[in-house]
């Protein structure tokens, strides 16, 4: 464990150690500054929507002042400026070196451990993960790059999925208080390939197919919601910078989905590039 980890991420406590042992996670390796939550995490509100809401919130007091009176306009100004102050306080403050339990993740030999705010912990063994969905979103403000959110949702059968995520600015020098999601993400991606790729390759070699959500691959072609296209009719497979995956087939056919909608996307994309 590096010096920065010892300073910023507390070592596993007694409850976390017990949970990791019962889950068979093996040896503790290190801690990461990265957020985690259970269940489906909602995507952020687009900046354009926030701008429209801000304009509407400021226009209403002006309209009320003209129609009712000055005091009505003043009263209607309180909510938008109160919300603005809260946002400035929440997002403008310097990150603290003291982390909440949902702001760090423990890496073990055979999985992750996510501490809970109630003192407990949630173990995510690599062997229990059934699918991984990745969501990488770059944010721009006034045309300038502001940062990137990395999120990785790990499904584990019947239990609620666990999402590990973080927001970082990749154009600035990392600080000790910055999220370490990029380092953790590479481990998650490597484990996804290690878990799913050999099984997928074996299925293809035996003449079977491999499903990735609504699309399936086999040695003969790709099966889309619109039908099956032989590989020789696939004209182009493209992964755009905004995360959109596009498959074009002969005759003008086109299938497009965001990469976050495709389970185990690194495995899917590796197979598509090889088979196409």
């Amino acid at each position: 464990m590096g010096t920065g980890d010892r300073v910023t991420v507390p070592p596993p406590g007694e409850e976390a150690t017990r949970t990791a042992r019962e889950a068979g996670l093996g040896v503790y390796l290190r801690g990461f500054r990265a957020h985690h939550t259970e269940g489906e995490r909602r995507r952020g509100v687009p900046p354009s929507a926030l701008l429209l809401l801000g304009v509407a919130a400021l226009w209403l007091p002006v309209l009320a002042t003209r129609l009712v009176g000055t005091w009505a306009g003043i009263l209607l100004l309180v909510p938008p400026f109160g919300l603005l102050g809260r946002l400035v306080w929440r997002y403008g403050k310097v990150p603290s070196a003291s982390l909440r339990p949902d702001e760090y993740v423990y890496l073990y030999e055979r999985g992750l451990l996510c501490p809970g705010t109630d003192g407990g912990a949630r173990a995510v063994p690599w062997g229990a993960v059934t699918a991984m969905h990745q969501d990488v979103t770059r944010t721009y403000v006034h045309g300038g790059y502001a940062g990137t959110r990395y999120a990785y949702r790990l499904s584990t059968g019947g239990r609620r999925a666990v999402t590990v995520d973080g927001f970082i600015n990749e154009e600035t020098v990392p600080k000790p208080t910055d999220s370490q999601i990029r380092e953790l993400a590479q481990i998650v991606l490597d484990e996804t390939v290690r878990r799913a790729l050999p099984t997928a390759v074996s299925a293809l070699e035996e003449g079977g197919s491999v499903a990735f959500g609504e699309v399936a691959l086999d040695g003969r072609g790709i099966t889309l919601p619109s039908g099956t296209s032989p590989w020789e009719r696939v004209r182009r497979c493209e992964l755009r910078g905004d995360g959109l995956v596009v498959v074009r087939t002969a005759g003008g056919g086109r299938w497009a989905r965001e990469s976050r909608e495709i389970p185990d996307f690194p495995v899917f994309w590796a197979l598509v590039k090889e088979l196409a």
Side-chain angles (χ1 to χ4, degrees):
M1 186 187 302
T3 302
D5 297 326
R6 287 197 296 269
V7 172
T8 61
V9 178
E14 181 179 347
E15 181 67 22
T17 301
R18 182 184 64 81
T19 301
R21 183 174 59 250
E22 292 176 351
L25 296 186
V27 179
Y28 169 65
L29 300 178
R30 63 166 291 188
F32 290 88
R33 292 181 69 108
H35 186 264
H36 65 83
T37 185
E38 285 197 52
E40 186 82 27
R41 190 166 190 196
R42 297 180 179 178
R43 292 168 64 87
V45 180
S48 57
L50 291 176
L51 179 61
L52 290 175
L53 288 174
V55 171
L58 293 176
W59 174 248
L60 283 177
V62 174
L63 184 62
T65 300
R66 293 179 178 177
L67 297 179
V68 181
T70 304
W71 284 109
I74 293 175
L75 290 175
L76 286 175
L77 281 173
V78 173
F81 277 97
L83 178 59
L84 178 61
R86 178 176 174 81
L87 290 175
V88 170
W89 175 83
R90 180 176 180 181
Y91 295 104
K93 61 181 180 179
V94 177
S96 171
S98 177
L99 301 176
R100 299 192 309 269
D102 63 344
E103 293 179 325
Y104 53 89
V105 177
Y106 294 131
L107 173 66
Y108 283 78
E109 183 184 11
R110 291 187 287 273
L112 301 178
L113 192 74
C114 301
T117 55
D118 59 353
R122 166 75 182 274
V124 186
W126 298 127
V129 176
T130 57
M132 184 277 298
H133 287 78
Q134 66 182 61
D135 186 1
V136 181
T137 307
R138 293 174 64 87
T139 301
Y140 293 86
V141 177
H142 302 303
Y145 172 74
T148 303
R149 176 179 176 265
Y150 290 86
Y152 300 84
R153 180 161 55 91
L154 304 172
S155 299
T156 54
R159 297 198 63 179
R160 298 182 68 188
V162 172
T163 298
V164 294
D165 66 274
F167 186 85
I168 57 176
N169 189 323
E170 299 177 297
E171 296 182 356
T172 61
V173 177
K175 301 185 294 293
T177 53
D178 284 349
S179 172
Q180 297 171 312
I181 186 61
R182 280 293 301 274
E183 302 166 65
L184 181 58
Q186 190 58 56
I187 294 171
V188 170
L189 295 175
D190 290 344
E191 289 295 333
T192 298
V193 172
R194 186 181 65 84
R195 165 182 57 84
L197 185 58
T199 303
V201 171
S202 296
L204 294 174
E205 290 177 343
E206 294 173 2
S209 65
V210 184
F212 295 90
E214 65 178 25
V215 61
L217 313 175
D218 61 31
R220 296 175 296 277
I222 181 170
T223 300
L224 306 170
S226 58
T228 300
S229 296
W231 289 117
E232 56 267 23
R233 291 181 58 83
V234 175
R235 295 293 178 258
R236 186 178 182 184
C237 298
E238 176 187 8
L239 174 58
R240 296 186 354 185
D242 58 359
L244 189 68
V245 179
V246 181
V247 177
R248 302 181 187 276
T249 59
R254 179 180 181 272
W255 176 81
R257 290 293 184 276
E258 292 188 33
S259 58
R260 67 186 180 90
E261 299 177 4
I262 303 174
D264 295 338
F265 178 75
V267 177
F268 165 82
W269 192 238
L271 293 176
V272 165
K273 290 191 294 184
E274 179 67 23
L275 294 171

